[in-house]
Amino acid sequence: MAKRNNIEKRVENKVREVAKKRPILFIVAVILIIALVIVGYFVYKKYFKKPIDDTLSIHFLELGSYYTGDSTLIKTGDIEILIDAGSKQSSIETIDNYIGRYCTDNKLEYVIVTHAHEDHYACFTTENSLFNRYEIGTIIDFSMTNQEKKGLYKNYLRERQEAIDSGAVHYTAKECRENNNYIFNITDDITLTVLDSYYYYNTDSSDENNYSVCTLLTQGDRNFLFTGDLESKGEKKLVELNDLPKVELFKAGHHGSYTSSNDCLLSVIRPKRVCVCCCAGSSKYRVKEEGNKFPTQDFIDRVAPYTKEVYVTTLCVSDDEKTFKSLNGNIVVTSSVDGVSVNCSNNNILLKDTDWFKEKRICPEAWIS
């Protein structure tokens, strides 16, 4: 009898002991589950595909001029972003007519002006500028310039101030970075990041191009890079200062010049597509050597290992008469749940397959199949 009582007491004590431990085990289990969920979330964000919910289109515009510069319209839903507006003041009507087909609410939510060269900002410098034709949400522009004494720059400051007085918010790229206000949420799955640059911060450059505002558009796990006319020194710093991803699309630096789109950048971003805003073969930039006319042979050779998908807006017909015609024309890159596609207003021919390329350039081995 006594032996049974001892056994029963031991069992009761064991039950009590387990009962006391259960709340602790439960709490530990909950903590472990929460930790696993948090770790799993960050692993998913970093290593797995993110959903694409919105359709995004990126338009590289022909500007109705032999002096072709940059103007890029980005659209998703009712939101429009305009990066630059060259090449001459006479391009205003061409750009305005194109934007008007897509911007139905007459508002440009973001305007980005990369640097103070005419072929990038001429259409923001007149009394009838694009700033005056649209409601402007936010202006982001260059922090430094060598153009302070130029009339065109002074006109730009006047027009920008009028837009600010009418309600636009203004930041320089430097202010975006220093104020930790450099990621703009365009939609739930699209962000615009003002990348860091060595030449935003009171660092003089003899080359105005290095002051270019550089931006990264991100949609889910897809990335699209715009570097204005950033040159080789600027590109090296861009890579050092930013954790750049591989990109679906790269707008060729400085119109496909031999001084931009260098290996230090291309080897990191490894672009799947490259769009070049230039008048192919023109002597606009006073270049005499055929291989250095945009898009240059050096640019082509450097891009070739990464992609054959190179598109160019315009083709020079005659330097003497300053005549031109469409090569691809307006280049439209669309990114949606179905993937990424390119459709152009004139044709979708790749640069390597054009008559101009076959006559004027040497085809890299990477493009020979």
Side-chain angles (χ1 to χ4, degrees):
M1 187 69 176
K3 186 175 181 181
R4 180 191 291 178
N5 290 337
N6 288 336
I7 292 173
E8 288 177 351
K9 286 180 180 180
R10 285 200 297 269
V11 170
E12 289 174 1
N13 289 337
K14 190 68 175 175
V15 170
R16 289 193 188 98
E17 184 181 337
V18 171
K20 289 179 181 179
K21 288 183 177 180
R22 277 179 181 169
I24 298 174
L25 291 173
F26 177 76
I27 293 170
V28 170
V30 170
I31 292 172
L32 286 174
I33 291 170
I34 293 172
L36 287 171
V37 170
I38 292 172
V39 171
Y41 172 76
F42 284 106
V43 168
Y44 176 81
K45 280 192 71 176
K46 185 171 180 64
Y47 296 106
F48 293 89
K49 286 189 174 182
K50 301 169 189 175
I52 303 296
D53 296 323
D54 300 301
T55 296
L56 172 71
S57 61
I58 303 169
H59 307 242
F60 300 97
L61 277 59
E62 282 203 290
L63 305 179
S65 170
Y66 162 88
Y67 301 96
T68 299
D70 272 17
S71 189
T72 304
L73 177 68
I74 299 168
K75 180 176 178 62
T76 180
D78 292 329
I79 297 172
E80 285 82 27
I81 303 167
L82 182 64
I83 304 179
D84 286 339
S87 60
K88 297 286 186 180
Q89 292 176 343
S90 59
S91 298
I92 289 176
E93 295 301 331
T94 300
I95 295 175
D96 187 23
N97 289 337
Y98 191 94
I99 293 175
R101 292 158 50 188
Y102 298 93
C103 184
T104 56
D105 60 0
N106 206 51
K107 180 177 181 179
L108 296 173
E109 276 73 15
Y110 295 88
V111 171
I112 300 169
V113 187
T114 60
H115 63 293
H117 271 159
E118 181 180 23
D119 61 339
H120 288 254
Y121 81 147
C123 296
F124 298 121
T125 63
T126 74
E127 293 183 357
N128 194 26
S129 76
L130 292 174
F131 280 147
N132 295 317
R133 298 185 176 209
Y134 294 88
E135 179 185 351
I136 309 297
T138 300
I139 301 169
I140 302 170
D141 61 8
F142 45 92
S143 312
M144 298 278 289
T145 182
N146 300 322
Q147 307 292 307
E148 292 95 338
K149 296 181 180 180
K150 299 288 181 70
L152 202 66
Y153 177 66
K154 293 177 181 178
N155 290 348
Y156 170 71
L157 293 181
R158 181 195 67 221
E159 295 302 307
R160 186 186 71 186
Q161 188 58 51
E162 287 185 10
I164 294 170
D165 292 342
S166 296
V169 177
H170 169 246
Y171 307 101
T172 65
K174 177 184 177 183
E175 289 170 338
C176 288
R177 297 299 307 190
E178 288 185 336
N179 297 333
N180 199 32
N181 182 35
Y182 55 85
I183 300 177
F184 296 86
N185 294 311
I186 309 303
T187 69
D188 289 342
D189 76 330
I190 298 175
T191 60
L192 177 74
T193 301
V194 178
L195 298 171
D196 206 358
S197 173
Y198 179 72
Y199 292 99
Y200 293 166
Y201 307 101
N202 303 316
T203 305
D204 290 333
S205 174
S206 59
D207 193 331
E208 188 77 20
N209 292 333
N210 277 327
Y211 296 136
S212 293
V213 179
C214 300
T215 51
L216 182 73
L217 191 67
T218 301
Q219 178 196 33
D221 63 343
R222 298 173 189 164
N223 295 282
F224 311 84
L225 180 62
F226 311 87
T227 61
D229 281 356
L230 197 68
E231 302 286 11
S232 58
K233 289 182 180 179
E235 289 179 345
K236 289 177 184 177
K237 293 294 185 180
L238 191 72
V239 171
E240 291 174 10
L241 294 172
N242 301 274
D243 183 16
L244 295 177
K246 296 177 183 178
V247 302
E248 294 286 336
L249 168 70
F250 173 49
K251 189 203 74 69
H254 196 190
H255 318 284
S257 77
Y258 62 89
T259 56
S260 297
S261 305
N262 289 282
D263 291 330
C264 65
L265 177 61
L266 293 174
S267 64
V268 174
I269 64 171
R270 306 184 71 84
K272 294 182 180 179
R273 299 162 191 84
V274 177
C275 293
V276 189
C277 298
C278 77
C279 191
S282 79
S283 297
K284 169 191 171 184
Y285 295 95
R286 297 180 293 280
V287 175
K288 294 182 179 179
E289 300 84 0
E290 179 57 47
N292 286 338
K293 295 178 181 178
F294 300 167
T296 65
Q297 186 69 52
D298 285 348
F299 159 78
I300 291 164
D301 291 341
R302 290 197 293 261
V303 165
Y306 303 101
T307 182
K308 294 180 180 180
E309 282 198 57
V310 179
Y311 303 89
V312 178
T313 53
T314 310
L315 178 66
C316 175
V317 175
S318 169
D319 273 322
D320 293 335
E321 298 178 10
K322 302 291 187 291
T323 54
F324 64 94
K325 64 180 182 180
S326 294
L327 205 162
N328 290 121
N330 297 307
I331 304 166
V332 183
V333 180
T334 302
S335 176
S336 68
V337 67
D338 297 322
V340 180
S341 61
V342 180
N343 285 288
C344 309
S345 61
N346 188 42
N347 58 59
N348 293 343
I349 192 170
L350 301 180
L351 176 63
K352 73 180 186 66
D353 296 325
T354 64
D355 292 337
W356 176 85
F357 182 89
K358 293 173 183 177
E359 179 183 350
K360 302 294 185 180
R361 294 291 176 264
I362 299 170
C363 190
E365 281 197 24
W367 284 1
I368 298 173
S369 57

